[in-house]
């Protein structure tokens, strides 16, 4: 790459500092199965999960982002997946309501965190709503997944609570049970540039796929291999893209677009069906 090429890349892909809420997997375990990735018969190590989580947290901090932490609670092994517990846009908070009874209690712990940290514009949903697991903010639209976890009616609740337009997308492959396993936002829309996303086409219904291709004609369309290593459960700040170490093919294609792939090992966390994004709730003020 020439100096000129590098200058063009730097000018096009500008990172923005973010604020994240995370939860250490102190009580991580695979004790039940609520998605196709979870197998309680296979060993899972909380110690190894904590090591991987800390590396993810520290990666965000090295990139200049702020990471806040909520205290993990015993008996809630999936509380590490903080993305499922809240959606925050312009300081408005929409909490969560879990489908699986094993995770129900997580919602109240996150609600209390927001209250204790001064968030007054907070709504708890009446419909099943697994938050950023199924909601992706593009800067203009909230993409909202359904099909396995979040109720379609929760999309209307999100529009009312957050005051942003919502576009519903139907997921059809149980391996990609949340939207954040099949799609992520590479760069949010600005006044001068459209949003850019990456997604796995086969995870979506035919109609939803037509919607995505209409909204994002310049999207990165991922392969099955990209998706199955949780490459789309990634976190982008507009330039740096944090994704699993196995997702090198996807990373190479993102680099061709001017993004900087940043690889992390989430192999232990993936045993519970989670990756970088699952562990990361973004707080947008």
């Amino acid at each position: 790459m020439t100096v000129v090429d590098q200058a063009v890349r730097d000018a096009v892909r500008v990172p923005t500092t973010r604020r994240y809420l995370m939860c250490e997997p102190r009580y991580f375990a695979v004790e039940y199965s609520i998605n196709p990735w979870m197998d309680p018969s296979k060993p899972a190590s909380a110690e190894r999960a904590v090591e991987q989580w800390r590396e993810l947290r520290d990666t965000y901090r090295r990139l200049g982002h702020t990471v806040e932490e909520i205290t993990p609670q015993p008996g809630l092994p999936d509380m590490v997946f903080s993305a499922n517990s809240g959606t925050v846009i312009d300081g408005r908070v929409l909490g969560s309501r879990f489908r699986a009874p094993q995770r129900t209690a997580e919602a109240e712990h996150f609600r209390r965190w927001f209250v204790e940290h001064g968030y007054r514009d907070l709504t708890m949903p009446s419909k099943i709503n697994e938050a950023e697991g199924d909601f992706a903010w593009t800067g203009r639209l909230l993409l909202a997944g359904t099909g396995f976890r979040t109720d379609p009616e929760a999309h209307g609740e999100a529009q009312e609570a957050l005051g942003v337009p919502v576009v519903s997308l139907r997921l059809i492959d149980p391996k990609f049970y949340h939207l954040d396993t099949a799609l992520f936002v590479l760069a949010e829309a600005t006044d001068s540039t459209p949003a850019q996303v990456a997604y796995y086409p086969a995870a979506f219904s035919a109609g939803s796929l037509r919607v995505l291709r209409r909204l994002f004609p310049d999207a990165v369309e991922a392969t099955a291999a990209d998706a199955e290593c949780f490459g789309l459960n990634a976190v982008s700040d507009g330039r740096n893209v944090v994704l699993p170490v196995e997702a090198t093919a996807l990373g190479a294609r993102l680099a061709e677009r001017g993004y900087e792939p940043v690889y992390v090992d989430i192999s232990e966390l993936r045993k519970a069906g989670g990756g970088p994004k699952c562990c990361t709730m973004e707080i947008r003020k």
Side-chain angles (χ1 to χ4, degrees), residues 85 96-98 103-111 124:
S85 293
S96 64
R97 187 181 182 94
F98 287 93
R103 298 197 64 184
T104 300
E106 295 176 35
E108 176 61 13
H109 290 292
F110 281 88
R111 187 196 69 81
M124 297 303 291

Side-chain angles (χ1 to χ4, degrees), residues 87-90 132 134-145 155 158-159 162-169 179 183-190 193-197 208 210-217 282 284:
T87 306
V88 187
I89 299 175
D90 293 335
E132 286 193 330
D134 275 322
F135 291 150
W137 177 240
T138 69
R140 291 288 183 272
L141 302 169
L142 187 68
L143 303 179
H155 298 177
Q159 181 164 286
L162 299 172
V164 298
V166 175
V167 174
S168 295
L169 301 169
L179 183 64
L183 176 150
F184 74 100
V185 178
L186 280 160
E188 293 181 5
T190 68
T193 59
Q196 187 167 57
V197 305
S208 295
R210 289 195 296 272
V211 169
L212 285 170
R213 286 176 171 162
R214 181 182 293 269
L215 287 174
F216 309 105
E282 184 166 351
R284 304 171 185 85

Side-chain angles (χ1 to χ4, degrees), residues 101-271:
Q102 296 92 333
R103 298 197 64 184
T104 300
E106 295 176 35
E108 176 61 13
H109 290 292
F110 281 88
R111 187 196 69 81
R112 290 177 183 174
W113 187 93
F114 281 110
V115 170
E116 291 166 359
H117 287 77
Y119 290 84
R120 296 291 176 261
D121 194 344
L122 187 155
T123 302
M124 297 303 291
S126 64
K127 305 297 182 182
I128 300 297
N129 173 339
E130 300 204 353
E132 286 193 330
D134 275 322
F135 291 150
W137 177 240
T138 69
R140 291 288 183 272
L141 302 169
L142 187 68
L143 303 179
T146 189
F148 298 101
R149 295 291 186 84
T150 296
D151 285 340
E153 295 86 353
H155 298 177
E157 282 193 335
Q159 181 164 286
E160 289 301 312
L162 299 172
V164 298
V166 175
V167 174
S168 295
L169 301 169
R170 178 164 290 277
L171 299 163
I172 59 171
D173 186 333
K175 287 188 297 185
F176 308 107
Y177 57 94
H178 272 151
L179 183 64
D180 71 357
T181 65
L183 176 150
F184 74 100
V185 178
L186 280 160
E188 293 181 5
T190 68
D191 290 339
S192 58
T193 59
Q196 187 167 57
V197 305
Y199 63 87
Y200 175 45
F204 297 91
S205 68
S208 295
L209 184 56
R210 289 195 296 272
V211 169
L212 285 170
R213 286 176 171 162
R214 181 182 293 269
L215 287 174
F216 309 105
D218 195 35
V220 176
E221 294 195 7
T223 66
D226 296 329
E228 288 176 2
C229 71
F230 273 49
L232 292 163
N233 196 248
V235 177
S236 175
D237 63 12
R239 176 175 176 177
N240 303 292
V241 183
V242 179
L243 69 171
V245 292
E246 298 88 352
T248 53
L250 177 59
R253 293 201 302 283
L254 296 179
E256 291 172 358
R257 301 276 190 119
Y259 296 98
E260 296 286 345
V262 180
Y263 298 105
V264 294
D265 183 3
I266 50 89
S267 55
E268 202 66 24
L269 296 161
R270 190 163 49 223
K271 293 178 181 179

